Amino acid sequence: MQSLIRRYLPHLIVGLSISLIMVGAYMAVGLALTAAPKASWATSPVTITFAATAGHGNVLDSFTCDPSTTNVMLVAHASTVNIALSVAPSSFASCSSTPDTVTLTATCLVPAAQCVGTYQGIVQIRNPANYYGNIPANLKVTLVVT
């Protein structure tokens, strides 16, 4: 029995070491994910409805972060090249439990007749300090042009 233990002792030590490293890495990632900020939007999803002849429409919304974070940027994307979706202001020095209000604006980029339709958009909150990683949750935007 002792000869078996001596024979396989290096293998057991290597296996135990790898297991401990894996458990430590799993715990480190798990703790980092729970500490990562998450955003909440006051209204989600949001809809912007406007007449094509008006050329644009907007809506107000606000968001908070938990836990607090600093230096966030907002980036808006529309699912079509017919409409531009923008957000103002597009950056904040901090994001915390105090709501930050933004104006979402959709603008037709083509003649009114070609702009009519229903489109989708998204607003992402990014943190440049985190390699421009997104802070969940993204805001889904429905664009209705009549």
Side-chain angles (χ1 to χ4, degrees), residues 58-74:
N58 57 43
V59 67
L60 294 176
D61 202 355
S62 62
F63 65 97
T64 58
C65 293
D66 183 34
S68 298
T69 189
T70 58
N71 298 324
V72 295
M73 296 175 18
L74 283 82

Side-chain angles (χ1 to χ4, degrees), residues 1 7 12 27 34 55 58 68 76 78 89 91 99 103 126 128 132 136:
M1 182 70 159
R7 181 177 178 187
L12 292 171
M27 290 179 61
T34 58
N58 57 43
S68 298
S91 64
T103 302
R126 294 188 175 168
Y132 292 90

Side-chain angles (χ1 to χ4, degrees), residues 9-84:
L9 185 60
H11 297 83
L12 292 171
I13 291 172
V14 169
L16 182 60
S17 299
I18 291 172
S19 297
L20 289 174
I21 290 169
M22 290 176 56
V23 168
Y26 177 77
M27 290 179 61
V29 169
L31 292 174
L33 288 177
T34 58
K38 292 177 178 52
S40 296
W41 290 90
T43 305
S44 181
V46 68
T47 301
I48 301 174
T49 304
F50 63 97
T53 53
H56 63 86
N58 57 43
V59 67
L60 294 176
D61 202 355
S62 62
F63 65 97
T64 58
C65 293
D66 183 34
S68 298
T69 189
T70 58
N71 298 324
V72 295
M73 296 175 18
L74 283 82
V75 180
H77 303 282
S79 64
T80 179
V81 295
N82 292 352
I83 295 181

